[in-house]
Structures are given as C-alpha cells and as structure tokens.
C-alpha cells in the first residue's frame, strides 16, 4: 500500500511539474543584445527572457545548443545557474559566412524542462576569411569633376554583370563603401527578406565611423535576388559620411569608394565568388542622383532613369574603374542596429496649406496668401506658382516619400523646416512671411530636394537615399502643374520600436515623455547626434553621457552604445584624452574636455548597470585607464586634481558655474566609476587605487571649494548638485547644510532651475536621492522659463536645445544655435522612471529590482500646480517588463507591480503607510527600518492598497 501511495505521489508531483512547465515559456531570444543578427564578427553571447504566470519563478538550470544545420556545434551542458543574459559562446570555432540556429532549454524552481520555441538565429560575417581578391574601386578620375578635394555632394554608380551557370542554393553579399551607398541586384534594392516576404532595408549604409580607423560592412542573403544565367549588380555611392559636409574635411575628402564580395553556393556544393575589381566593373557619374549630401539634401533628375542595375544594360559609355588606395583601416561587420525606417511611425500631413504669393501687412515680410487648406491628407493638386506647406504635426527625422504625376522636365523643390514663421516681423527673429518655412536655424544646411520629372504617364515615385531631414514642415513648389498622388513622412532611426512607457494623470508630463522619445528617435542616427537638421549633426559626447540612462530606459540601445564607444576609442589621442565628439570630425572642439571626454568613462558604466553587459567594460577598460592617466597629468603648481579641460562647463546654464569646478567634480566622478568597474572586472588593485584617488580628490575639493560647513564658494544650483551627487562633503552635517542651501537657491529662483546641460541632467535625480522629491515635483511641473513644461507651452513636440528656442511672447531665439530637436534636457525622464515610478536596480542588469516610487505628497503647491496622482510605467528590462503603477485615492494609495520571472524585487514605501498583508502569496518578507517599509517580492504580479497616515 505504501508503494502505491508513493507511486501516486510521484505521479502527482510529475503531473504538477508538467502543468507548471506549460505555463512557463522562454522568449525574446537575443544574440549580442539583438534579435537574429546577421553578419557577426564578434563572438556571440546569448540572452533570453522567461515568461510565467506564477509568482516566485527562478531559473535553476539552462542548456544552450547551437546548430549548424542539424549538427550541434556547441552544447553548454546542463548548467546550474539562474543567469539568462550575456552567456558567451564557448564551442567550436565558428565558420565564416554561416547561419547558425540556437535553442535554450531551462528548468525552474517550479517546473521541469522548458524549451524555447521561437526561431533564433545568428549569422557570422567574414570573420578571418577576409575579402579575397576584392578591391576598393573608384571612378576613373580622368574627369576633372572628381578631383581630390571636391568630393562633397558627388555621386558615382558602379556596376558589373556575371553569369551563374548552375542551380543556386544560397548567396550572400558583403558590401561597404567610403560614403553612403545603396545596393541593387537585377533591378531590385537589396535588404533583408522577412518571414512575411517583405524586405527590411538598411538606410545610409554603411553607417558612420571614423574612416581613418574603420568602416563597417553589411551582410545580405541575396539568394532570392539572383537567377540562373546573367545577373547584374549595381551600387550607388554618395559622398555621405566620408567626403560630405558632415565630415568637415576630417578624412581629407577621399574619392568615393566601393567594395563588395558575393559568394554564391550551388546545389552541387561548388561556389562562385564575385568581387569588386578593376577588370569586371564599370562606373558612371551620369545617373539620376546629381548631387547628394547629408546637410544639403539631394538633386534628383528622373530623366536619367535607366536599367543600369539590370542585366544586358549597354554600358559602353561608362568609365572603367581604378583601385582606390585611400582606406588603410579595418573593415569590420556592422555593430548594432543599422538605421532603418520605423514603419510604426508613418505620418500623413495633419494640415496642407496652399498659398499663392504673399500679401502685405504692417510687417517686414508680410504673410502668405492662402488659397486652399486640407486636413489629414496625403494627396492634392498643386498649380504652377503655388506653394504647398505640409504640417505633419510632429517634429521628426526622415524624409517624405512622394508619388507624383506631371509633365516631363517639371522642376519640383521640397524644403524642410522645424518651424513656421509666426509673423512677418523681423524683430521676432522671423526670416520670411507669416506661415512660410523658418529656415534660419538650419544655418548653412540647404536641407532640400530638387527633383526633375521624367513625365511617366502613370506617375513616378521618389524618396531620398543619401540624406535625411529634421522637420515638422515640408514646402513643395513646382514650375508646372502637378498632381501629388501621395506624400507622407517616413521616420528613420537606429532605435527600434520602444516597449517602455510612462503615463500619468498630467497630460503635459505625458507630452514631455513623448517629446523625449521623439528626440531620441530623431537623433540616434548611426551615432547619438546632438541635432538632426542643421549643418552639425555631431556625436557630442556630453549630450550622449547625460542622456544615456534615459535612452537605455526608453529602448534597447546596448549595441548602439557599444558601437559608439568604438568611435570614442578611435578618436582617443595618444596622450589618453578622449574626444569631444565621436566620430571625431571637427578639430576645433578640443580634446579631454571635462564632461565631454568623461563620456568615455560614464557611458560604459551606464550601459553595464542597465544591461549587465560586462563586455563593454572589458572592451574599453584599457582606453579608460589611459584617459585616467591623462587626467592625472593635468595637475599644476597649485592643485594635483584639476580634471579635464574647461572649454564648455555647464553648457547653456542660466547661471554659470566655474568651469574648473565642473572638471574637478567630473574627475571625482570618474574615480568613483573606475573603482566600481574595476570591482566588476575583479581588478582588486585598481579598486583600491581609484578609491584612494577619489578620497584624494575629495580632500583637495574641500580645501579648494568649501569655505565653511556645507557652503561652497560656487553659489549655484549646479555646484551644490554635483557636490551632493558625488558625496563630496566631509560629514552628514555638512551634507544637510548643503541640501538646505540648494533648496534655498531653488526657492529664491521661484522654483525654477538655473542649470545647463550638466546640472539639469542630474537635478531631479539628486534631489530625490537626498530626500527632496517634493522639490523635484515642483521643478517638473514648473511652467515659467526655464522649465520642461515651458517649451511645451510654446508648442514643442520634441526637446529643444534652449528652453526658450521659441517663445510666444518674443519669437525665435538666436539662430546660430537654436535646434528644435536636441534631446539632452530630456534626461529628466531618467528621474521619471527611476524615482517617480521608482524602477531601479540593486545590481547590474535588473536581476534584483527596486520599486520605490516617490509619490507626490507635497503639502504646498507653488504657482497653482496640481498633484501628480497617478503614474503608470513599464520598463522593458533585459529580463522582461517591469511595471510600476501607483494611484492616490484620497487617503489610500493603490500599487500594482509586475516583476519578471527570474528576478526578485524590494518594494519600498514610507513607513507611515499601513496595510501590508503577511508573508505568502509571493511576499518573501516584510521588514522596517527608521523610515521605510521594505517588502521582498519574488517575480509575479502584485496589488497593494495602502493607507496614508495623517
């Protein structure tokens, strides 16, 4: 009988485990923090999420298998571990140009084995197999228009034909350029074919790198683009990243170059390789794209349309090619997500205004003479002499694909702008008639399309491929009547669709969050740029570092930053100084400048803490150590610890803080982070070294800047913020005095900030860290200049470079530096995630989550502000969605929390709140300290209804 009972219990346990396993799944499989990446030269690492409806689910074992076709080339074995992120491949050497599949099987504390079911792949690039006989080719520059030093705006077509005499099994092409290029085979544009048989295109190939050191190549499966028999390949190359205006002569205007390798495998196992060379390729400058430049736009003459990318094209009038010997760097596989169209953000014009000339009024420029108005339309008729102004309702980055019908030789111009002139008044900064495009802030960027029609009776379609625009408005003119059959705005970005979100009961705060998302989308174009519209668009390092954590909360940009840090290393000087911008272009911007160069320390640390990715620390540790040596060399006869250069300081601050003070603070910050990174990498000696360095900087800081207890000789908001953030005061008493002084500075400024790029980036975060979240809410909800909501009241749909880039009262700011899409001030969104919603990590990578929302319990509301009473936030962490939702209802607060499987959390609230249930139902423990209640939770979903004490 006992045997029967034991057998029955065993069956029930196994059955229970099976039921539990059915409700657990493995999803979101990633390699190197990307989904199914193609063309990897780096060693792969594997990550996955666990989905479970139960609470307290922890992975206990994992087993990864990697397959080459049906052959297992790596079996990790059944590893006892809860790790599910960044597991390094350690199997047989991977073959070049090979597609591998992989699967992970896990066990959890409540289930048996669970296998991943989603299709998970990665494909290696050329690895060490090299480019074989492939050459860099260039146009045979007998033509004087292609003299060295005159490449900006130029374009070249390269083509070759080849015969495939057997049945094709597979084909891969590896493609790169000096400049921007587009690629075609047999008349079709090349991209990645999706499972829905659609094509996903990479834009602005091969992406921006410092071509003194490296260029990227991209990999495409072109099996379905080829056919048995005669085939043709064509590449269109423009000056773009290498020789365009954006390069600012950094690379000495190299001739436009192209390089490719196509490997075709036949069904009989044999292969054929086609490469760029001086024998089989030809070139021409006589194509449809007459001019292309990132700053200036494109000139496109559709009358030159030919079938040059198809087989049997007569290219007898084309030039030969010669070898391009300019590039001496490294060609490596593309890192991160390429620039792509965001299909989810396609936008039609909210309003189209047709005007015919101008009408005089009592202003300098007058006003447009509007004759027609349409709403929410993609099509309309435009007569000769008329002008159409399209308002897409959102400042965005991309272009406007257009389908048009009209007479041959018709000339069309499309211009782009972020704003319209609000009046014809010159003293308000307008540069044209009321209702026309405001263009002055573009500076020297022409930012326009000139298109000449070929007169196709069925209409013709166009969108640019070698430039982009930052705009809300587009203006169209034509010298003959045209029918615009369709036009819309297409958004491009290196940021994939976001899964994180913030929603509150305050629509203006929601708008601020959305504006920040749009700023990130529009400025993450191959590199984290400062602005997307004028003749700048640089990877300014301070903008990057102050916004990095916000960006990582918003979206998965781990590989994007990993790529950018390569640009930073490429720009590092021999003395260790990191560049001010990366890729390095403008030489006049300096090197080793405080807060800018320090991005080389801050960004790797930020990426690591948000993702748990140690690789970025390992890749950059030597460069970071070299930079720390550079900082150590900056001492003078008075002080040992000066930090970096003092060119910029707290950029655009309303109240200036001494720039040397800023550099000393950033040196201290670097020391703190280097000690932490050394600890993460088990570099014990360096931990001690950098901890001691921080103590030395702190001691000298106090002699240099502290004039009495808790009082600085820099009486600015930014000065106190950095001293508090970095714990630079010698005692709790001094710290408390400093907090009081900071609060007094804010109160005396009518609860307005006076900080610049650097101070604003840490303002609310530091206030909440020192227990002053009430003041953080005062600043968040401030509406006067300067404040986050002030620009929203002036009509902002993105984050602006200046708080008052435009004001309803006074008009436009100084056009020399007045971007209406500049994400840096959006760093407050970090505070919204980490403090307002309370989502933070106790370790690197959010395995141990902290949910500690800072509720709006203000007793005094300045300037007729209203309380934030509800915040609903989700953060797409590397382990899955973390959700924090709180709502104040009278004397009660309702909390709803979701913690992803394979993680745990501490839910922390003020001790005055009551109503917690006992341990159980996912609650591991409830404890209290002097001012907080700490509830330890396993994974799962939880609801708490707590009472606020009087």
């Amino acid at each position: 009988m006992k045997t029967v009972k034991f057998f029955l219990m065993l069956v029930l346990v196994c059955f229970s485990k099976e039921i539990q396993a059915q409700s657990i799944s493995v999803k979101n499989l990633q390699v190197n923090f990307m989904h199914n990446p193609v063309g990897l030269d780096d060693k792969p690492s594997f990550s996955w999420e666990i989905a479970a409806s139960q609470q307290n689910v922890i992975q206990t074992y994992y087993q990864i298998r990697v397959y080459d076709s049906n052959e297992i080339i790596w079996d990790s074995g059944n590893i006892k571990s809860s790790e599910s992120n960044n597991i390094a491949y350690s199997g047989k050497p991977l073959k070049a140009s090979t597609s591998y599949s992989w699967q992970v099987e896990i066990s959890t504390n409540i289930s048996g084995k669970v296998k991943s079911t989603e299709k998970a792949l990665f494909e290696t690039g050329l690895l060490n197999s090299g480019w074989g006989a492939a050459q860099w080719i260039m146009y045979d520059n007998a033509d004087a228009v292609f003299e060295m030093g005159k490449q900006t705006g130029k374009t070249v077509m390269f083509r070759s034909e080849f015969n495939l005499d057997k049945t094709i099994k597979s084909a891969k092409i590896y493609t790169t350029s000096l400049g921007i290029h587009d690629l075609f085979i047999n008349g079709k544009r090349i991209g990645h074919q999706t499972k829905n048989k659609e094509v996903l295109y990479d834009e602005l190939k091969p992406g921006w790198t410092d071509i003194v050191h490296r260029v990227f190549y991209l990999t495409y499966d072109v099996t379905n683009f080829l056919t048995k028999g005669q085939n043709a390949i064509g590449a269109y190359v423009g000056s773009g990243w290498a020789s365009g205006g954006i390069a600012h002569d950094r690379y000495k205007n190299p001739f436009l170059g192209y390089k490719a390798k196509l490997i075709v495998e036949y069904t009989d196992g044999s292969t054929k390789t086609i490469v760029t060379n001086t024998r089989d390729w030809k070139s021409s400058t006589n194509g449809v794209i007459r001019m292309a430049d990132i700053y200036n736009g494109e000139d496109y003459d559709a009358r030159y349309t030919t079938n040059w990318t198809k087989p049997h094209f007569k290219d007898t009038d084309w030039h030969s090619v010669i070898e391009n010997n300019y590039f001496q760097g490294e060609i490596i596989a593309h890192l991160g997500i390429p620039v792509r169209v965001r299909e989810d953000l396609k936008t039609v014009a909210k309003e189209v205004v047709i005007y015919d000339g101008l009408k005089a009024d009592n202003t300098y420029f007058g006003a447009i003479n509007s004759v027609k108005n349409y709403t929410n339309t993609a099509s309309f008729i435009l007569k000769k002499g008329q002008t159409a102004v399209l308002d897409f309702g959102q400042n965005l980055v991309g272009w406007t694909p257009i389908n048009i019908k009209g007479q041959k030789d018709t000339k069309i111009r499309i211009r782009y702008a972020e704003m319209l002139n609000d009046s014809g008044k010159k003293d308000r900064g307008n540069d044209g008639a009321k209702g026309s495009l405001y263009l002055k802030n573009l500076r020297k960027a022409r930012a326009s399309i000139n298109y000449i029609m070929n007169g196709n009776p069925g209409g013709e379609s166009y969108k640019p491929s070698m430039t982009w625009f930052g705009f809300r408005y587009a203006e169209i003119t034509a010298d003959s009547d045209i029918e615009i059959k369709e036009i819309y705005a297409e958004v491009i970005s290196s940021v994939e669709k976001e899964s994180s979100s913030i929603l509150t009961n305050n629509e203006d705060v929601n708008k601020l969050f959305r504006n920040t998302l749009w700023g990130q989308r529009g400025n993450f174009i191959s590199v984290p740029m400062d602005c997307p519209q004028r003749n700048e668009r640089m990877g300014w390092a301070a903008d990057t570092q102050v916004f990095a954590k916000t960006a990582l909360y918003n979206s998965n940009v781990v590989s994007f930053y990993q790529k950018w840090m390569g640009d930073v290393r490429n720009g590092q000087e021999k003395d260790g100084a990191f560049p001010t911008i990366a890729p390095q272009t403008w030489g006049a911007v300096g090197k080793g400048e405080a807060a800018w160069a320090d991005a080389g320390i801050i960004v790797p640390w930020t990426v690591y803490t948000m993702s748990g990715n140690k690789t970025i620390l390992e890749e950059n540790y030597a460069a970071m150590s070299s930079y720390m040596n550079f900082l150590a060399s900056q001492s003078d006869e008075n002080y040992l610890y000066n930090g970096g250069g003092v060119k910029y300081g707290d950029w655009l601050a309303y109240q200036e803080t001494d720039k040397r003070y800023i550099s000393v603070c950033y040196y201290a910050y670097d020391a703190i982070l280097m000690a932490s990174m050394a600890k993460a990498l088990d570099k014990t000696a360096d931990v001690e070294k950098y901890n001691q360095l921080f103590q030395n900087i702190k001691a000298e800081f106090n002699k240099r800047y502290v004039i009495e207890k808790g009082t600085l000789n820099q009486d600015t908001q930014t000065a106190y913020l950095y001293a508090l953030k970095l714990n630079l005061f010698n005692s709790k008493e001094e710290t408390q005095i400093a907090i009081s002084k900071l609060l007094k500075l804010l109160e005396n400024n009518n609860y307005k900030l006076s900080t610049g790029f650097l101070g604003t980036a840490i303002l609310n975060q530091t206030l909440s860290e020192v227990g002053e979240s009430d003041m953080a809410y005062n600043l968040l909800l401030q509406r006067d200049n300067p404040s986050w909501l002030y620009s929203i009241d002036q009509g902002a749909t993105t984050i602006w470079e200046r708080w008052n880039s435009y004001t309803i009262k006074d008009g436009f700011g100084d056009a020399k530096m007045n971007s209406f899409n500049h994400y840096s001030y959006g760093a407050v969104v970090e505070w919204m995630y980490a403090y307002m919603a309370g989502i933070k990590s106790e370790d690197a990578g959010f395995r141990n989550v902290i949910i500690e929302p800072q509720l709006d319990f203000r007793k005094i509301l300045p300037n007729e502000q209203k309380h934030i009473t509800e915040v609903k936030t989700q953060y797409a962490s590397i382990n899955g969605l973390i959700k924090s939702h709180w709502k104040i209802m009278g004397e009660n607060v309702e909390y709803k929390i979701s913690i992803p499987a394979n993680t745990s959390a501490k839910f922390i609230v003020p001790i005055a709140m009551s109503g917690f249930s006992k341990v159980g139902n996912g609650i591991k423990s409830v404890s209290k300290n002097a001012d907080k209640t700490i509830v330890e939770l396993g994974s799962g979903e939880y609801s708490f209804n707590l009472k606020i004490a009087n």
Side-chain angles (χ1 to χ4, degrees), residues 9 27 45 161 270 282 357 375 389 505 523 535 625 627 631 691 789 807 870:
M9 287 176 66
K27 64 174 189 174
S45 63
E161 293 196 23
S270 62
K282 287 191 171 184
T375 58
V389 175
N505 65 298
N523 284 291
N535 60 332
S625 299
Y627 177 65
L631 292 178
N691 278 334
L789 299 189
T807 71
E870 184 173 14

Side-chain angles (χ1 to χ4, degrees), residues 155 177 179-184 189 201-207 235-241 288-294 297-300 308 339 341 398-401 449 462-469 490 492:
T155 61
S177 63
I180 288 172
H181 77 276
D182 219 347
L183 181 63
F184 305 85
R189 189 184 184 204
Y201 297 109
D202 298 328
E203 307 292 348
L204 307 171
K205 296 181 288 288
Y236 219 139
V237 182
S239 57
W241 309 113
V288 289
I289 304 177
R290 313 304 288 178
M291 187 284 297
D293 180 69
I294 289 171
E298 279 187 15
D299 292 347
Y300 191 100
W308 67 278
V339 180
V341 170
W399 42 59
T400 52
I449 299 293
Y462 164 79
K463 73 175 179 179
S465 59
M466 298 186 183
T467 187
W468 76 87
F469 309 97
E490 204 165 56
I492 63 168

Side-chain angles (χ1 to χ4, degrees), residues 188-202:
K188 295 180 179 179
R189 189 184 184 204
I190 298 304
H192 304 283
Q193 289 195 309
T194 68
K195 60 184 178 181
N196 298 325
K197 296 186 178 180
E198 297 174 348
V199 181
L200 179 64
Y201 297 109
D202 298 328

Side-chain angles (χ1 to χ4, degrees), residues 58-62 79-82 106-109 111 902:
I58 294 292
Q59 176 186 289
T60 52
Y61 290 86
Y62 73 81
I79 306 298
K80 186 176 183 179
S81 173
S82 62
I106 68 162
S107 300
T108 74
N109 58 326
S111 72
N902 207 33

Side-chain angles (χ1 to χ4, degrees), residues 101 106 177 200 301 318 328 407 410 494 543 666 674 814 826 860 875:
S101 61
I106 68 162
S177 63
L200 179 64
D301 192 336
W318 281 44
Q328 300 298 315
Q407 297 175 1
T410 299
S494 293
D543 303 52
Y666 266 89
M674 286 299 293
D814 184 357
I860 300 174
Y875 162 52

Side-chain angles (χ1 to χ4, degrees), residues 63 177 346 350 369 380 428 660 722 725 729 773:
Q63 184 169 13
S177 63
K346 177 179 175 180
K350 302 297 182 287
N369 181 37
F380 52 90
R428 288 180 58 82
R660 179 57 68 194
Y722 272 92
K725 171 184 171 63
F729 293 104
S773 290

Side-chain angles (χ1 to χ4, degrees), residues 58 183 273 324 499 749:
I58 294 292
L183 181 63
T273 302
N324 187 332
S499 297
N749 201 37

